[in-house]
Amino acid sequence: RHRDDYISSRLRDISSSLGSASVNSQYLRELETVFNETSEASLNNALASFFKGINDLTQNTENMSSRATLLEKANTLTDTFHRIVDELSQMKIFIQQSIESKISEVNKLSESIANINKEISVIHVRDIESNDLLDKREALLQDLSKLVNISVTSQDNGMVSVSTPGGTLVSGSSSASFASELEDFGEIEVVNAKNKNVKYAFHSGEIKGLQDFYNVTLVRYREKL
């Protein structure tokens, strides 16, 4: 078994960056369909049609047909606003559920890595090769790096420690658990399941991408709307 620790570390870093970028790309495409600006039913068209209706009515304020047309266009504009707001709200719910699902994945992966650490340390004492377990652990670390950015430190007993911004995730044969928390100001934070005062601020990874979309992107688009 031959591996370069530096290359493995770079692969995990790139995997983490790709995770957050992929999530952003996916949800930005979905956001495009919410506003649907390339279709006849877009908000831009509804606004343009509404103001055209006002302009037409000012040319002949007594015309009942122009009044009815303006009322219809006003209803269409209002419905368009409501539709977009409703779809943005649905996106928030779905993203929150996705964050919780990804956190569950992180917890399972962390626990598995800790268990393999324990197995490797037992074999290490007996001076027996543990290549299969090492490969399995490396695959789990790669999967974990897609979700959150991690730093991995090897120990003399064959175990590894896994840390993230905010604290240690795996230490020897024990692992920490994440949980999500909705703050009073509406943002989703990732916290330690046992001590919610400990918060994790990731730099990259799928969870970071989802958090940014929930806490920043959707809020910004809703304010603009």
Side-chain angles (χ1 to χ4, degrees):
R1 183 180 188 274
H2 178 75
R3 291 191 70 87
D4 186 306
D5 288 339
Y6 172 75
I7 292 176
S8 295
S9 175
R10 290 293 297 129
L11 281 171
R12 286 191 292 268
D13 290 343
I14 291 167
S15 175
S16 188
S17 297
L18 180 61
S20 52
S22 297
V23 164
N24 272 308
S25 176
Q26 174 191 340
Y27 283 104
L28 282 171
R29 285 196 299 270
E30 290 191 24
L31 198 58
E32 259 186 335
T33 64
V34 169
F35 285 94
N36 209 14
E37 282 301 311
T38 57
S39 79
E40 290 295 321
S42 70
L43 178 60
N44 191 51
N45 283 343
L47 280 166
S49 180
F50 173 70
F51 286 113
K52 183 180 182 301
I54 291 177
N55 186 61
D56 290 344
L57 185 59
T58 59
Q59 306 303 315
N60 188 357
T61 56
E62 300 303 320
N63 188 297
M64 296 306 294
S65 175
S66 295
R67 290 185 178 190
T69 299
L70 177 59
L71 181 59
E72 181 183 340
K73 291 179 176 180
N75 284 330
T76 298
L77 177 60
T78 305
D79 290 343
T80 304
F81 274 116
H82 287 169
R83 175 188 62 77
I84 294 173
V85 169
D86 289 343
E87 291 187 26
L88 290 178
S89 298
Q90 287 300 313
M91 278 189 78
K92 286 196 75 171
I93 292 170
F94 185 78
I95 291 171
Q96 184 175 2
Q97 292 170 345
S98 295
I99 291 173
E100 290 168 357
S101 174
K102 299 294 182 184
I103 285 173
S104 178
E105 285 183 49
V106 168
N107 292 340
K108 289 176 183 176
L109 287 168
S110 301
E111 186 178 358
S112 296
I113 291 167
N115 289 337
I116 291 177
N117 264 348
K118 186 175 182 180
E119 292 181 57
I120 289 174
S121 68
V122 171
I123 294 174
H124 188 81
V125 170
R126 299 174 185 171
D127 201 25
I128 300 172
E129 293 290 337
S130 56
N131 292 340
D132 288 345
L133 287 173
L134 290 169
D135 287 342
K136 186 177 179 181
R137 185 177 67 188
E138 190 62 40
L140 292 173
L141 288 169
Q142 189 69 22
D143 289 342
L144 183 60
S145 69
K146 293 176 186 176
L147 300 169
V148 293
N149 60 295
I150 56 174
S151 297
V152 180
T153 306
S154 299
Q155 299 176 2
D156 293 337
N157 58 3
M159 294 185 179
V160 294
S161 295
V162 182
S163 59
T164 65
T168 301
L169 188 53
V170 178
S171 178
S173 58
S174 63
S175 62
S177 292
F178 289 164
S180 65
E181 188 170 63
L182 193 60
E183 299 289 342
D184 293 337
F185 47 87
E187 291 191 355
I188 287 184
E189 300 284 355
V190 178
V191 299
N192 187 291
K194 293 181 179 178
N195 181 4
K196 294 192 175 181
N197 290 323
V198 177
K199 297 181 180 181
Y200 300 90
F202 307 115
H203 303 315
S204 55
E206 291 182 4
I207 291 178
K208 168 64 173 173
L210 289 167
Q211 276 185 287
D212 283 350
F213 209 89
Y214 186 98
N215 296 337
V216 181
T217 305
L218 283 179
V219 172
R220 186 171 67 242
Y221 274 95
R222 192 181 177 98
E223 286 174 350
K224 285 184 176 181
L225 183 65

